[in-house]
Amino acid sequence: MKIAIIGVGSVGSAVATAVQNTGLAQEIVLFDRDGIRARAAAEDLGHASAFSFDIKISAVSTYRSIRGSEIVIIAAGANQKPGETRNDLLHRNADVISDIIPKVMENIDAKNVKIIVLTNPLDVMVMLAQKLSRLPANRVIGTGTMLDSARFKIILSRQLGISTRSITSYVLGEHGDSSVINWSAVNIGGIALDDFCKQAKISLPQTTRKTIEHRVRNAAYEIIKGRGATWDGIGAAVADLLYAIVNDEKRILTVSTVDGIGKNAVAMSLPRVIGNKGVIMNLRSKTTVDESNELRKSAKVIRKNFDLL
Ligand code: NAD
């Protein structure tokens, strides 16, 4: 399988490394408007392949060379500087997506390709990419809150002393400041969170829950403060999404795709079943009235930003 990665900065390089380590691709092509950067990344990754899988990795200077790619990953665009929100990137990155998508579409097989969007503000960029590509919504997929859900799960794991592999926990809505922490759907080995806490004699009061929510929503800001950008987590998330797609796993992941039509259309993260056709089922998680209201607010934030474009 051939995979194209557009944008080979911190995120694109980490994604390329993670994709390479899955062993799922036979060929990875890297495109960046900064050709020198793309060539250097291809060279470095090429050396790494001697220690992992025999994969052909090359930098390409024209979109013609992405032909034959079954999956195109968009990691191009401005990232947040300390203090900036994802939505502050709206207009800059809308220009980037508007530049890239038509060129991608001229060169790939629209009947089969899946586009994975990473550029922020994620959900709005998914909507724009879907509109410009005219692909069915289920094949334009944003990693959405996969990373936020992972952060939530890791914090819960540490708090409860239980392996992440026994925890189901979702963050829904915007991959951004209005994300919704779906407490009511958390289960630990199939046991509802409150019941688990009772059995394990663990107290998880509202104050602790609020602190956890804050840590989940602020994780990226903290990482950006410390190392300038985030890349390892998203690299691993993309690799996980690729496993689900390529192996037709029919796994449930909180990814972002466009739901609804016309003025009601919005892309945000919900639990969705992923297989080799992309998103094959959209699910509604268990939510309280408050969580449903938060989700509606989150959808409004995303739609409002899309309408500004
Ligand atoms: P970066 O500045 O390190 O790299 C961005 C790259 O995009 C650069 O190499 C640049 O030359 C390239 N680029 C810009 N415009 C382009 C164009 N029109 N065509 C081709 N290439 C172009 O930034 P980064 O840290 O890698 O972040 C990239 C994006 O990923 C940002 O929008 C960031 O917010 C986002 N991100 C998303 C998640 C997520 O969970 N979805 C996580 C981290 C970062």
Side-chain angles (χ1 to χ4, degrees):
M1 186 180 54
K2 179 172 172 180
I3 294 179
I5 300 176
I6 314 294
V8 200
S10 309
V11 170
S13 307
V15 165
T17 304
V19 170
Q20 181 179 24
N21 289 334
T22 64
L24 291 172
Q26 279 72 52
E27 185 176 0
I28 302 175
V29 292
L30 308 175
F31 178 90
D32 196 291
R33 68 175 176 195
D34 179 346
I36 294 173
R37 193 173 198 183
R39 279 195 294 281
E43 184 80 2
D44 205 1
L45 279 155
H47 302 162
S49 72
F51 299 99
S52 57
F53 296 95
D54 232 347
I55 296 172
K56 190 175 163 207
I57 300 173
S58 49
V60 296
S61 54
T62 67
Y63 277 90
R64 272 183 74 86
S65 306
I66 73 165
R67 285 187 179 178
S69 301
E70 289 172 45
I71 297 181
V72 178
I73 301 170
I74 315 282
N79 59 14
Q80 295 163 258
K81 302 294 169 257
E84 265 186 328
T85 69
R86 295 175 181 90
N87 286 329
D88 289 335
L89 308 171
L90 179 68
H91 292 286
R92 271 175 282 165
N93 283 346
D95 289 347
V96 172
I97 296 295
S98 303
D99 169 42
I100 292 171
I101 295 295
K103 293 172 184 163
V104 167
M105 293 312 295
E106 273 170 30
N107 289 287
I108 42 93
D109 172 11
K111 284 200 197 76
N112 292 314
V113 74
K114 274 146 299 252
I115 295 183
I116 298 179
V117 180
L118 311 182
T119 307
N120 278 317
L122 190 280
D123 305 283
V124 184
M125 295 303 119
V126 169
M127 293 177 75
L128 185 59
Q130 197 268 327
K131 182 180 167 193
L132 296 173
S133 68
R134 298 176 186 216
L135 287 174
N138 70 314
R139 287 196 277 121
V140 182
I141 307 168
T143 44
T145 55
M146 279 183 74
L147 195 48
D148 314 64
S149 295
R151 287 167 179 157
F152 183 31
K153 185 184 283 194
I154 283 163
I155 295 172
L156 279 175
S157 164
R158 290 176 188 158
Q159 192 82 26
L160 304 175
I162 291 291
S163 162
T164 53
R165 293 166 72 186
S166 294
I167 300 177
T168 302
S169 55
Y170 297 135
V171 177
L172 309 176
E174 184 193 21
H175 171 60
D177 298 339
S178 74
S179 64
V180 181
I181 316 291
N182 190 194
W183 284 104
S184 59
V186 174
N187 84 67
I188 317 296
I191 304 166
L193 179 62
D194 288 342
D195 189 7
F196 173 85
C197 286
K198 252 186 232 150
Q199 293 188 44
K201 300 190 174 40
I202 292 171
S203 147
L204 209 56
Q206 271 310 313
T207 46
T208 310
R209 292 183 193 221
K210 288 286 162 212
T211 307
I212 292 174
E213 291 186 17
H214 180 79
R215 285 177 60 201
V216 171
R217 290 202 189 94
N218 279 275
Y221 292 108
E222 290 301 319
I223 297 167
I224 289 166
K225 234 192 267 169
R227 71 190 307 213
T230 73
W231 57 83
D232 287 320
I234 186 63
V238 173
D240 198 38
L241 178 55
L242 276 186
Y243 278 121
I245 293 174
V246 178
N247 296 327
D248 196 22
E249 285 181 351
K250 306 196 169 71
R251 193 143 51 93
I252 297 172
L253 298 171
T254 53
V255 294
S256 179
T257 52
V258 178
D259 276 328
I261 44 169
K263 280 276 158 204
N264 294 322
V266 75
M268 66 175 181
S269 289
L270 294 172
R272 303 181 196 270
V273 182
I274 308 290
N276 63 9
K277 293 197 162 56
V279 173
I280 52 181
M281 203 192 302
N282 299 313
L283 300 168
R284 293 287 174 269
S285 185
K286 178 185 168 196
T287 48
T288 60
V289 173
D290 284 352
E291 287 168 345
S292 296
N293 288 338
E294 278 183 57
L295 212 45
R296 265 191 290 278
K297 269 192 218 154
S298 197
K300 271 191 194 153
V301 170
I302 297 162
R303 182 69 218 198
K304 198 170 145 213
N305 279 317
F306 179 71
D307 288 339
L308 290 175
L309 298 177

